[in-house]
Amino acid sequence: MKPTLILSLCILSSTISLAQSKREILADIKSKYLLIRELVDNNTLRQYYSDYTCDESVEKGTLTFYYNSRELKHIVHQYTQGYVSYKDEYYIWDDQLFFEFSTHKIKYHDYEKNKKKKIQKVDVVLTLEERFYFHNFEPVKCQFKDFETRSNRLKNPKTNYVRNQTADCSQATRIIEKYNVLLEYQNANIEDECSLPRSISRIVSDDILHSTLNKKQ
């Protein structure tokens, strides 16, 4: 057998092995996620809840930790500022973050002509979602999606029917940093509310909103 053919077969075998390993990792992440979601939805986990107000930015938020006995399983950080609401979720197994899911909703008004050619106000919600999958604190998959709902539509898109797009994983390090900061607030009062880590997509959200509004002008 020619050396070049042997090398090609080795590369192909290695590629297949890596693909199988990634599929197995993602399947394991999904199983852990579904188990934690079931525990949370059934109100099985012990909760530690704290709310806060950041006067500097007129922001309100809540921070909730979920425990299975003494083991941390889930963190939810929700906050609102003006017309934007944020929800950042962290899923943990054996003290390791394995999945992060963020949802950001931007509310604004638009104006359109109706069937009678009269101008009517339309309530619009722009939803942005991020999903980061981790293995040993290294990103293995990163996704993003955005969709818009409008009050004058009979049918609006739902997240389950909107396709995810592959996203750049360069923000994964900042997610880990946010997660580590939030860990410090377990069983402790939030003294400096304005120092809590904010969503990494805040700038992205603003850019998409401005782009959407400019198209309307």
Side-chain angles (χ1 to χ4, degrees), residues 92-216:
I92 302 105
W93 198 274
D94 289 337
D95 296 324
Q96 289 196 3
L97 175 67
F98 69 87
F99 181 55
E100 190 266 358
F101 174 44
S102 291
T103 305
H104 311 145
K105 294 182 181 292
I106 305 168
K107 298 180 181 180
Y108 63 97
H109 299 302
D110 194 9
Y111 294 88
E112 293 183 357
K113 289 183 179 180
N114 58 23
K115 293 181 178 179
K116 297 181 179 180
K117 296 186 178 181
K118 291 184 178 181
I119 300 296
Q120 65 175 6
K121 185 175 74 173
V122 180
D123 296 323
V124 185
V125 178
L126 176 63
T127 300
L128 302 98
E129 295 180 357
E130 289 179 327
R131 292 168 173 82
F132 283 78
Y133 303 76
F134 293 93
H135 179 64
N136 293 330
F137 289 108
E138 292 293 332
V140 293
K141 187 176 182 180
C142 307
Q143 296 179 317
F144 176 84
K145 72 169 68 171
D146 64 276
F147 56 93
E148 185 182 80
T149 59
R150 305 178 72 86
S151 60
N152 61 339
R153 287 180 184 167
L154 293 177
K155 292 184 178 180
N156 276 298
K158 296 182 179 180
T159 182
N160 291 340
Y161 299 99
V162 179
R163 186 182 297 274
N164 278 302
Q165 303 174 30
T166 300
D168 184 2
C169 288
S170 62
Q171 297 287 355
T173 300
R174 294 182 62 187
I175 290 179
I176 297 295
E177 291 174 353
K178 283 201 307 173
Y179 164 70
N180 287 330
V181 171
L182 291 177
L183 288 179
E184 298 176 5
Y185 288 90
Q186 296 180 78
N187 301 317
N189 293 326
I190 301 176
E191 295 180 357
D192 186 2
E193 296 86 352
C194 301
S195 68
L196 282 170
R198 301 302 188 257
S199 171
I200 63 170
S201 284
R202 186 166 181 168
I203 296 176
V204 175
S205 301
D206 291 342
D207 287 345
I208 291 179
L209 174 61
H210 294 154
S211 176
T212 302
L213 293 177
N214 289 334
K215 291 179 181 177
K216 302 297 181 182

